[in-house]
Amino acid sequence: MNVRIEKLIYGGEGLGHHEGQTVFVPFVLPDEVVAVQPTDSRKKFVRGRVEQVLSPSPERVPAPCPHFGVCGGCHYQHIPHEAQLKYKAEILRETLARIGRLEWKGPIETRASPPLGYRNRAQWKIHPADKGGRPAIGYFQTGSTLLCGVETCPILSPPVAEVLGTLHRLLGEGALPPTLREVEAFADPNEMKILLNASLVEFAGPPETLAHRLRRWLPGVESLLLHESRRDRFELFGPGFIHYLVGGVPYRVGHLSFFQVNGFLVDELVHAVVPEEGGRLALDLFAGVGLFTLPLVERFDRVVAVESNPAAARDLQGNIEQRKARAQHFQAEAESFLARSKEKPDLVVLDPPRAGVSARALVLLKQVAPARIVYLSCDPATLARDLAALTAARADGASYEIREVLLFDIFPQTYHIETLVRLSRRE
Protein backbone atom coordinates (compact mmCIF):
# COMPACT_ATOMS: atom_id res chain seq x y z
CA MET A 1 0.00 0.00 0.00
CA ASN A 2 1.13 3.56 -0.69
CA VAL A 3 1.06 5.96 2.26
CA ARG A 4 1.80 9.67 2.64
CA ILE A 5 3.67 10.32 5.88
CA GLU A 6 2.01 13.08 7.88
CA LYS A 7 4.42 13.46 10.80
CA LEU A 8 7.08 11.78 12.91
CA ILE A 9 6.13 10.43 16.34
CA TYR A 10 8.09 9.45 19.41
CA GLY A 11 9.63 6.02 18.95
CA GLY A 12 11.26 6.58 15.56
CA GLU A 13 8.24 5.98 13.33
CA GLY A 14 6.33 8.09 10.87
CA LEU A 15 2.53 8.24 10.92
CA GLY A 16 0.15 8.14 7.99
CA HIS A 17 -3.31 6.82 7.10
CA HIS A 18 -4.60 4.29 4.60
CA GLU A 19 -8.24 3.27 4.11
CA GLY A 20 -9.25 4.34 7.60
CA GLN A 21 -6.30 2.73 9.35
CA THR A 22 -3.39 4.50 11.00
CA VAL A 23 -0.06 3.36 9.55
CA PHE A 24 3.24 3.42 11.43
CA VAL A 25 6.50 2.97 9.53
CA PRO A 26 10.15 3.74 10.40
CA PHE A 27 12.93 5.49 8.44
CA VAL A 28 10.67 8.04 6.75
CA LEU A 29 10.15 11.82 6.67
CA PRO A 30 7.02 13.99 6.70
CA ASP A 31 5.32 14.43 3.28
CA GLU A 32 7.09 11.43 1.77
CA VAL A 33 5.01 8.91 -0.13
CA VAL A 34 6.22 5.39 0.55
CA ALA A 35 5.24 1.88 -0.46
CA VAL A 36 4.66 -0.03 2.78
CA GLN A 37 4.71 -3.75 3.39
CA PRO A 38 2.57 -4.51 6.47
CA THR A 39 4.29 -6.49 9.22
CA ASP A 40 1.59 -6.21 11.90
CA SER A 41 -2.05 -5.52 11.02
CA ARG A 42 -4.70 -4.75 13.65
CA LYS A 43 -8.24 -3.41 13.44
CA LYS A 44 -7.30 0.25 13.68
CA PHE A 45 -3.61 0.38 12.82
CA VAL A 46 -0.91 -1.19 10.72
CA ARG A 47 2.81 -1.35 11.30
CA GLY A 48 5.03 -1.92 8.33
CA ARG A 49 8.38 -1.49 6.63
CA VAL A 50 9.30 0.69 3.69
CA GLU A 51 9.60 -1.22 0.43
CA GLN A 52 10.24 1.89 -1.66
CA VAL A 53 10.33 5.64 -1.17
CA LEU A 54 8.12 6.77 -4.03
CA SER A 55 8.34 10.50 -3.34
CA PRO A 56 11.40 11.31 -1.21
CA SER A 57 11.61 14.42 0.94
CA PRO A 58 14.17 17.01 -0.19
CA GLU A 59 15.57 16.73 3.36
CA ARG A 60 16.48 13.05 2.96
CA VAL A 61 20.24 12.39 3.07
CA PRO A 62 22.43 9.27 2.75
CA ALA A 63 23.06 7.56 6.08
CA PRO A 64 26.67 7.71 7.33
CA CYS A 65 26.50 4.08 8.53
CA PRO A 66 26.15 1.09 6.16
CA HIS A 67 24.11 -0.79 8.80
CA PHE A 68 21.43 1.89 9.12
CA GLY A 69 17.95 0.44 8.64
CA VAL A 70 19.02 -3.02 9.80
CA CYS A 71 20.78 -2.21 13.07
CA GLY A 72 18.31 -1.14 15.74
CA GLY A 73 20.56 1.45 17.33
CA CYS A 74 19.79 4.50 15.18
CA HIS A 75 16.53 5.82 13.73
CA TYR A 76 17.26 9.20 12.12
CA GLN A 77 20.44 8.88 10.06
CA HIS A 78 18.40 9.67 6.93
CA ILE A 79 17.58 13.11 8.39
CA PRO A 80 20.06 16.05 8.54
CA HIS A 81 21.03 16.80 12.12
CA GLU A 82 19.47 20.27 12.23
CA ALA A 83 16.21 18.81 10.99
CA GLN A 84 16.39 16.08 13.64
CA LEU A 85 16.39 18.80 16.30
CA LYS A 86 13.38 20.48 14.71
CA TYR A 87 11.38 17.26 14.58
CA LYS A 88 12.31 16.32 18.14
CA ALA A 89 11.09 19.70 19.41
CA GLU A 90 7.80 19.19 17.54
CA ILE A 91 7.41 15.68 18.97
CA LEU A 92 8.12 16.95 22.48
CA ARG A 93 5.59 19.79 22.23
CA GLU A 94 2.94 17.45 20.80
CA THR A 95 3.56 14.83 23.52
CA LEU A 96 3.21 17.40 26.30
CA ALA A 97 -0.12 18.48 24.82
CA ARG A 98 -1.51 15.02 24.02
CA ILE A 99 -0.54 13.20 27.23
CA GLY A 100 -0.22 16.00 29.77
CA ARG A 101 -2.78 18.43 28.32
CA LEU A 102 -0.03 21.02 28.62
CA GLU A 103 -0.20 23.71 25.96
CA TRP A 104 3.36 25.03 26.22
CA LYS A 105 3.41 28.15 24.06
CA GLY A 106 6.94 29.21 24.90
CA PRO A 107 10.09 28.28 22.99
CA ILE A 108 11.76 24.89 23.26
CA GLU A 109 15.44 25.77 23.21
CA THR A 110 17.72 23.07 21.83
CA ARG A 111 21.26 22.20 22.86
CA ALA A 112 22.98 20.36 20.04
CA SER A 113 25.72 17.76 20.15
CA PRO A 114 28.06 16.73 17.36
CA PRO A 115 25.98 14.19 15.41
CA LEU A 116 28.67 11.48 15.38
CA GLY A 117 31.44 10.23 17.66
CA TYR A 118 29.60 11.26 20.83
CA ARG A 119 28.67 8.08 22.68
CA ASN A 120 30.95 7.19 25.61
CA ARG A 121 29.18 3.92 26.50
CA ALA A 122 28.11 0.96 24.36
CA GLN A 123 26.92 -2.59 24.90
CA TRP A 124 27.50 -5.26 22.26
CA LYS A 125 25.98 -8.71 21.88
CA ILE A 126 28.19 -11.55 20.70
CA HIS A 127 26.96 -14.61 18.83
CA PRO A 128 29.19 -17.68 18.56
CA ALA A 129 30.07 -19.12 15.19
CA ASP A 130 27.47 -21.41 13.67
CA LYS A 131 28.22 -24.19 11.20
CA GLY A 132 30.60 -22.82 8.63
CA GLY A 133 30.10 -19.30 9.93
CA ARG A 134 32.03 -16.76 11.91
CA PRO A 135 31.32 -15.28 15.34
CA ALA A 136 29.82 -11.81 15.24
CA ILE A 137 29.63 -8.77 17.50
CA GLY A 138 27.10 -5.99 17.20
CA TYR A 139 23.60 -4.80 18.07
CA PHE A 140 20.14 -6.25 17.77
CA GLN A 141 18.37 -5.68 14.48
CA THR A 142 15.41 -3.30 14.39
CA GLY A 143 12.46 -4.87 16.22
CA SER A 144 14.26 -8.17 16.64
CA THR A 145 16.64 -10.19 18.80
CA LEU A 146 18.61 -11.20 15.72
CA LEU A 147 22.15 -9.85 15.66
CA CYS A 148 23.34 -7.18 13.27
CA GLY A 149 27.10 -7.73 13.16
CA VAL A 150 29.15 -4.54 12.93
CA GLU A 151 32.81 -3.69 12.65
CA THR A 152 32.46 0.05 13.14
CA CYS A 153 29.80 2.35 14.61
CA PRO A 154 30.00 6.07 13.76
CA ILE A 155 28.18 7.35 16.86
CA LEU A 156 30.81 5.90 19.24
CA SER A 157 33.48 8.07 20.83
CA PRO A 158 37.01 7.21 19.63
CA PRO A 159 38.08 5.09 22.66
CA VAL A 160 34.84 3.08 22.61
CA ALA A 161 35.06 2.66 18.83
CA GLU A 162 38.59 1.35 19.27
CA VAL A 163 37.36 -1.28 21.74
CA LEU A 164 34.72 -2.42 19.23
CA GLY A 165 37.27 -2.67 16.43
CA THR A 166 39.66 -4.68 18.58
CA LEU A 167 36.95 -7.09 19.75
CA HIS A 168 35.80 -7.58 16.15
CA ARG A 169 39.35 -8.48 15.13
CA LEU A 170 39.88 -10.81 18.09
CA LEU A 171 36.63 -12.64 17.35
CA GLY A 172 37.72 -13.18 13.79
CA GLU A 173 41.03 -14.59 15.02
CA GLY A 174 39.28 -16.94 17.44
CA ALA A 175 41.13 -15.36 20.37
CA LEU A 176 38.09 -14.69 22.58
CA PRO A 177 36.35 -17.38 24.66
CA PRO A 178 33.54 -19.14 22.75
CA THR A 179 31.16 -18.59 25.69
CA LEU A 180 31.51 -14.79 25.61
CA ARG A 181 28.05 -13.30 25.02
CA GLU A 182 28.16 -9.60 25.88
CA VAL A 183 30.64 -6.78 26.36
CA GLU A 184 30.00 -3.25 27.62
CA ALA A 185 32.55 -0.44 27.48
CA PHE A 186 32.41 2.97 29.15
CA ALA A 187 35.20 5.46 28.53
CA ASP A 188 36.31 8.89 29.64
CA PRO A 189 37.48 10.48 26.37
CA ASN A 190 39.53 13.02 28.34
CA GLU A 191 41.68 10.45 30.12
CA MET A 192 41.19 7.52 27.68
CA LYS A 193 40.39 5.25 30.63
CA ILE A 194 37.94 2.40 30.03
CA LEU A 195 35.54 0.52 32.29
CA LEU A 196 34.80 -2.89 30.78
CA ASN A 197 32.07 -5.43 31.61
CA ALA A 198 32.19 -8.87 29.98
CA SER A 199 29.54 -11.58 30.40
CA LEU A 200 30.21 -15.23 29.62
CA VAL A 201 28.01 -18.31 29.89
CA GLU A 202 30.83 -19.91 31.85
CA PHE A 203 34.54 -19.35 32.39
CA ALA A 204 36.52 -21.65 30.10
CA GLY A 205 39.55 -21.35 32.40
CA PRO A 206 40.79 -19.22 35.25
CA PRO A 207 39.16 -15.77 35.01
CA GLU A 208 42.55 -14.25 35.85
CA THR A 209 43.87 -15.54 32.52
CA LEU A 210 41.07 -13.90 30.53
CA ALA A 211 41.49 -10.68 32.51
CA HIS A 212 45.22 -10.60 31.73
CA ARG A 213 44.56 -11.13 28.02
CA LEU A 214 41.86 -8.48 27.80
CA ARG A 215 44.12 -5.97 29.52
CA ARG A 216 46.91 -6.79 27.08
CA TRP A 217 44.61 -6.45 24.06
CA LEU A 218 42.87 -3.36 25.42
CA PRO A 219 45.53 -1.34 27.26
CA GLY A 220 43.11 1.47 28.17
CA VAL A 221 41.07 -0.78 30.46
CA GLU A 222 41.32 0.60 33.99
CA SER A 223 38.82 -1.77 35.60
CA LEU A 224 37.32 -5.04 34.39
CA LEU A 225 34.26 -6.93 35.65
CA LEU A 226 33.75 -10.50 34.45
CA HIS A 227 30.36 -12.17 34.87
CA GLU A 228 29.73 -15.92 34.62
CA SER A 229 25.98 -16.10 33.94
CA ARG A 230 25.55 -19.83 34.57
CA ARG A 231 26.53 -19.43 38.23
CA ASP A 232 25.86 -15.67 38.48
CA ARG A 233 29.47 -15.22 39.59
CA PHE A 234 31.39 -11.96 39.36
CA GLU A 235 35.14 -11.42 39.27
CA LEU A 236 36.56 -7.89 39.53
CA PHE A 237 40.00 -6.88 38.30
CA GLY A 238 40.92 -3.29 39.11
CA PRO A 239 39.46 -0.62 41.37
CA GLY A 240 35.84 -1.13 40.27
CA PHE A 241 35.49 2.35 38.79
CA ILE A 242 37.08 5.00 36.62
CA HIS A 243 37.08 8.77 37.06
CA TYR A 244 35.20 10.80 34.46
CA LEU A 245 36.14 14.46 34.18
CA VAL A 246 33.28 16.99 34.10
CA GLY A 247 34.22 20.66 34.31
CA GLY A 248 37.64 19.63 35.57
CA VAL A 249 36.09 17.61 38.43
CA PRO A 250 36.76 13.84 38.47
CA TYR A 251 33.61 11.80 39.14
CA ARG A 252 33.97 8.22 40.28
CA VAL A 253 31.75 5.99 38.07
CA GLY A 254 31.50 2.27 38.85
CA HIS A 255 30.72 -0.74 36.68
CA LEU A 256 27.01 -0.82 37.50
CA SER A 257 26.36 2.92 37.83
CA PHE A 258 24.51 5.16 35.39
CA PHE A 259 26.25 8.16 33.83
CA GLN A 260 25.37 10.44 30.92
CA VAL A 261 26.51 8.87 27.65
CA ASN A 262 27.21 12.04 25.66
CA GLY A 263 30.61 13.46 26.53
CA PHE A 264 30.01 16.66 24.57
CA LEU A 265 26.92 17.79 26.48
CA VAL A 266 27.70 16.75 30.08
CA ASP A 267 29.24 20.09 31.05
CA GLU A 268 26.41 22.06 29.45
CA LEU A 269 23.81 19.84 31.10
CA VAL A 270 25.32 20.44 34.54
CA HIS A 271 25.42 24.17 33.90
CA ALA A 272 21.73 24.15 32.90
CA VAL A 273 20.56 22.09 35.88
CA VAL A 274 22.44 24.03 38.55
CA PRO A 275 20.87 27.50 38.91
CA GLU A 276 22.79 30.73 39.29
CA GLU A 277 20.56 31.64 42.22
CA GLY A 278 21.34 29.49 45.22
CA GLY A 279 19.67 29.20 48.58
CA ARG A 280 19.58 27.40 51.87
CA LEU A 281 18.78 23.79 50.89
CA ALA A 282 18.78 21.80 47.64
CA LEU A 283 17.47 18.24 47.32
CA ASP A 284 18.94 16.07 44.54
CA LEU A 285 16.60 13.11 44.02
CA PHE A 286 17.71 10.26 41.76
CA ALA A 287 21.22 11.63 42.31
CA GLY A 288 23.17 8.82 40.65
CA VAL A 289 26.88 9.26 41.25
CA GLY A 290 26.38 12.94 42.15
CA LEU A 291 26.74 14.64 38.77
CA PHE A 292 24.55 17.52 39.96
CA THR A 293 25.14 17.11 43.69
CA LEU A 294 28.71 18.40 43.68
CA PRO A 295 28.07 21.63 41.72
CA LEU A 296 24.91 22.29 43.76
CA VAL A 297 27.18 22.56 46.81
CA GLU A 298 28.70 25.68 45.26
CA ARG A 299 25.28 27.40 45.25
CA PHE A 300 23.49 26.14 48.38
CA ASP A 301 24.27 26.08 52.08
CA ARG A 302 23.23 22.44 52.26
CA VAL A 303 22.65 19.72 49.67
CA VAL A 304 20.93 16.39 50.27
CA ALA A 305 21.44 13.67 47.64
CA VAL A 306 19.20 10.60 47.41
CA GLU A 307 19.94 7.49 45.32
CA SER A 308 18.41 4.00 45.56
CA ASN A 309 20.81 1.97 43.39
CA PRO A 310 23.47 0.44 45.68
CA ALA A 311 26.29 0.72 43.14
CA ALA A 312 25.54 4.33 42.29
CA ALA A 313 25.05 5.15 45.99
CA ARG A 314 28.58 3.90 46.70
CA ASP A 315 29.96 6.12 43.96
CA LEU A 316 27.88 9.03 45.24
CA GLN A 317 29.36 8.62 48.71
CA GLY A 318 32.87 8.35 47.27
CA ASN A 319 32.45 11.50 45.18
CA ILE A 320 31.12 13.51 48.11
CA GLU A 321 33.96 12.36 50.36
CA GLN A 322 36.62 12.89 47.68
CA ARG A 323 35.54 16.52 47.18
CA LYS A 324 34.88 17.06 50.90
CA ALA A 325 31.56 18.49 49.76
CA ARG A 326 28.95 19.87 52.16
CA ALA A 327 26.38 17.29 51.15
CA GLN A 328 24.49 14.50 52.87
CA HIS A 329 23.74 11.30 50.98
CA PHE A 330 21.03 8.69 51.52
CA GLN A 331 20.51 5.33 49.85
CA ALA A 332 16.74 5.31 49.54
CA GLU A 333 13.84 5.44 47.10
CA ALA A 334 12.68 8.99 46.42
CA GLU A 335 9.19 8.15 47.68
CA SER A 336 10.35 6.77 51.04
CA PHE A 337 12.75 9.67 51.56
CA LEU A 338 10.07 12.29 50.88
CA ALA A 339 7.65 10.49 53.20
CA ARG A 340 9.92 11.11 56.19
CA SER A 341 11.40 14.45 55.12
CA LYS A 342 10.36 17.42 57.27
CA GLU A 343 12.49 20.11 55.59
CA LYS A 344 11.42 22.66 53.00
CA PRO A 345 14.03 22.80 50.21
CA ASP A 346 14.50 25.84 48.02
CA LEU A 347 15.23 23.59 45.04
CA VAL A 348 14.53 19.97 44.09
CA VAL A 349 16.33 18.34 41.16
CA LEU A 350 14.55 15.36 39.60
CA ASP A 351 16.47 13.08 37.21
CA PRO A 352 14.42 9.86 37.25
CA PRO A 353 14.77 6.79 35.03
CA ARG A 354 12.55 6.32 31.98
CA ALA A 355 9.55 5.33 34.13
CA GLY A 356 9.47 8.81 35.65
CA VAL A 357 8.50 9.75 39.21
CA SER A 358 5.94 7.63 41.07
CA ALA A 359 2.51 9.15 41.66
CA ARG A 360 2.98 8.90 45.44
CA ALA A 361 6.36 10.65 45.26
CA LEU A 362 4.81 13.51 43.29
CA VAL A 363 2.09 13.93 45.91
CA LEU A 364 4.71 14.01 48.66
CA LEU A 365 6.86 16.43 46.68
CA LYS A 366 3.94 18.86 46.32
CA GLN A 367 3.41 18.65 50.07
CA VAL A 368 7.09 19.43 50.68
CA ALA A 369 6.48 22.39 48.33
CA PRO A 370 9.95 23.49 47.20
CA ALA A 371 10.13 26.93 45.63
CA ARG A 372 11.70 25.57 42.45
CA ILE A 373 11.92 22.23 40.66
CA VAL A 374 14.26 21.24 37.85
CA TYR A 375 13.04 18.07 36.11
CA LEU A 376 15.41 16.26 33.73
CA SER A 377 13.64 13.57 31.72
CA CYS A 378 14.66 10.97 29.14
CA ASP A 379 11.06 10.08 28.18
CA PRO A 380 8.56 12.70 26.92
CA ALA A 381 5.51 10.55 27.78
CA THR A 382 6.30 10.08 31.46
CA LEU A 383 7.51 13.69 31.63
CA ALA A 384 4.15 14.90 30.32
CA ARG A 385 2.31 12.73 32.84
CA ASP A 386 4.41 13.99 35.76
CA LEU A 387 4.23 17.65 34.70
CA ALA A 388 0.45 17.36 34.54
CA ALA A 389 0.47 16.26 38.20
CA LEU A 390 2.89 19.00 39.28
CA THR A 391 0.99 21.79 37.54
CA ALA A 392 -2.45 20.66 38.72
CA ALA A 393 -4.06 22.88 41.36
CA ARG A 394 -4.95 20.84 44.45
CA ALA A 395 -5.79 21.74 48.02
CA ASP A 396 -3.37 19.18 49.53
CA GLY A 397 -0.16 20.57 48.06
CA ALA A 398 1.61 23.21 46.02
CA SER A 399 1.00 23.82 42.33
CA TYR A 400 3.74 24.63 39.85
CA GLU A 401 4.14 26.65 36.70
CA ILE A 402 6.46 25.72 33.83
CA ARG A 403 9.02 28.45 33.29
CA GLU A 404 11.39 26.99 30.69
CA VAL A 405 11.75 23.94 28.46
CA LEU A 406 15.13 22.90 27.05
CA LEU A 407 15.83 19.99 24.72
CA PHE A 408 19.27 18.41 25.00
CA ASP A 409 20.19 16.27 22.01
CA ILE A 410 22.03 13.69 24.10
CA PHE A 411 21.31 10.96 21.52
CA PRO A 412 21.77 12.26 17.95
CA GLN A 413 20.65 9.92 15.14
CA THR A 414 18.06 8.34 17.48
CA TYR A 415 14.50 9.21 18.49
CA HIS A 416 15.48 9.65 22.15
CA ILE A 417 14.83 13.06 23.71
CA GLU A 418 16.36 14.51 26.88
CA THR A 419 14.29 17.37 28.27
CA LEU A 420 15.02 19.85 31.05
CA VAL A 421 12.02 21.68 32.52
CA ARG A 422 12.22 24.47 35.10
CA LEU A 423 9.18 24.93 37.33
CA SER A 424 8.37 27.46 40.03
CA ARG A 425 5.79 27.26 42.78
CA ARG A 426 2.61 29.23 42.29
CA GLU A 427 2.00 31.53 45.25
Side-chain angles (χ1 to χ4, degrees):
M1 57 183 174
N2 296 343
V3 179
R4 186 184 73 81
I5 303 304
E6 299 165 23
K7 63 180 179 178
L8 300 184
I9 62 172
Y10 187 69
E13 294 174 310
L15 179 148
H17 290 89
H18 182 265
E19 296 182 354
Q21 287 183 305
T22 304
V23 181
F24 301 100
V25 61
F27 312 125
V28 293
L29 277 156
D31 295 323
E32 288 188 329
V33 178
V34 294
V36 177
Q37 174 64 46
T39 57
D40 181 15
S41 296
R42 305 292 175 92
K43 185 176 181 179
K44 293 186 177 181
F45 72 87
V46 173
R47 278 195 158 83
R49 64 172 181 268
V50 175
E51 286 193 316
Q52 185 181 357
V53 180
L54 301 173
S55 177
S57 165
E59 288 185 318
R60 182 176 282 271
V61 296
C65 176
H67 306 292
F68 179 64
V70 178
C71 171
C74 291
H75 317 92
Y76 286 166
Q77 289 195 15
H78 62 297
I79 305 176
H81 189 227
E82 283 191 13
Q84 291 181 33
L85 295 174
K86 176 189 69 174
Y87 289 124
K88 287 183 178 184
E90 291 174 358
I91 290 168
L92 174 59
R93 194 183 296 275
E94 187 272 339
T95 304
L96 293 177
R98 177 172 50 85
I99 295 178
R101 301 292 187 265
L102 299 165
E103 297 294 336
W104 173 247
K105 300 297 185 182
I108 296 178
E109 296 185 27
T110 57
R111 301 289 187 268
S113 159
L116 302 172
Y118 67 85
R119 194 174 178 97
N120 59 30
R121 185 189 294 268
Q123 185 182 83
W124 305 290
K125 303 295 182 181
I126 295 174
H127 282 190
D130 51 17
K131 291 182 180 179
R134 292 166 56 90
I137 181 171
Y139 308 100
F140 285 141
Q141 296 181 22
T142 300
S144 169
T145 56
L146 297 174
L147 189 74
C148 175
V150 302
E151 183 176 357
T152 61
C153 175
I155 67 172
L156 299 181
S157 66
V160 179
E162 187 174 346
V163 172
L164 172 60
T166 300
L167 292 175
H168 182 274
R169 175 178 59 80
L170 292 171
L171 273 174
E173 295 172 355
L176 295 175
T179 64
L180 185 63
R181 292 294 179 270
E182 187 175 282
V183 176
E184 182 178 27
F186 172 69
D188 178 0
N190 298 296
E191 297 294 315
M192 302 297 284
K193 300 295 185 182
I194 297 168
L195 199 70
L196 198 74
N197 301 330
S199 181
L200 303 90
V201 177
E202 62 182 356
F203 296 143
E208 294 82 3
T209 301
L210 176 58
H212 174 74
R213 290 174 177 172
L214 286 172
R215 284 179 174 278
R216 178 162 49 87
W217 292 324
L218 300 166
V221 171
E222 181 85 354
S223 189
L224 169 65
L225 183 65
L226 300 179
H227 177 226
E228 186 181 41
S229 61
R230 179 162 292 173
R231 292 192 288 175
D232 199 22
R233 170 188 171 194
F234 290 89
E235 296 286 345
L236 176 64
F237 301 89
F241 57 86
I242 62 171
H243 284 100
Y244 195 106
L245 287 174
V246 180
V249 176
Y251 285 81
R252 165 181 160 158
V253 183
H255 285 274
L256 304 179
S257 293
F258 168 80
F259 199 79
Q260 293 290 340
V261 303
N262 189 315
F264 292 101
L265 286 182
V266 175
D267 285 15
E268 194 167 350
L269 191 62
V270 170
H271 181 75
V273 168
V274 178
E276 290 294 328
E277 179 186 353
R280 181 183 55 84
L281 174 63
L283 176 58
D284 186 10
L285 295 177
F286 311 97
V289 304
L291 178 62
F292 307 126
T293 304
L294 298 188
L296 283 169
V297 170
E298 304 299 321
R299 297 284 190 271
F300 290 82
D301 298 334
R302 286 181 57 226
V303 176
V304 177
V306 181
E307 173 56 47
S308 62
N309 179 276
R314 283 194 299 272
D315 291 334
L316 172 63
Q317 178 182 354
N319 286 324
I320 289 173
E321 292 176 350
Q322 176 181 303
R323 297 294 295 177
K324 297 181 173 60
R326 300 184 314 279
Q328 293 174 276
H329 57 89
F330 294 91
Q331 184 182 335
E333 297 286 347
E335 183 176 324
S336 63
F337 177 85
L338 288 171
R340 64 176 186 266
S341 176
K342 305 300 182 185
E343 298 188 274
K344 300 289 186 183
D346 301 296
L347 173 74
V348 171
V349 174
L350 301 172
D351 185 13
R354 195 168 300 279
V357 183
S358 73
R360 177 60 179 161
L362 290 171
V363 170
L364 293 168
L365 179 59
K366 295 183 72 171
Q367 291 173 356
V368 170
R372 293 168 286 162
I373 297 174
V374 175
Y375 192 140
L376 183 64
S377 167
C378 59
D379 187 288
T382 56
L383 172 66
R385 178 201 67 197
D386 294 349
L387 290 179
L390 289 170
T391 56
R394 291 176 182 164
D396 60 346
S399 177
Y400 289 85
E401 182 177 3
I402 297 173
R403 294 296 188 183
E404 189 175 16
V405 178
L406 302 176
L407 191 159
F408 282 81
D409 196 25
I410 300 288
F411 309 97
Q413 315 299 344
T414 81
Y415 68 78
H416 297 292
I417 297 172
E418 193 89 2
T419 310
L420 187 148
V421 180
R422 301 187 201 281
L423 303 104
S424 62
R425 187 181 63 213
R426 290 191 177 99
E427 299 299 339

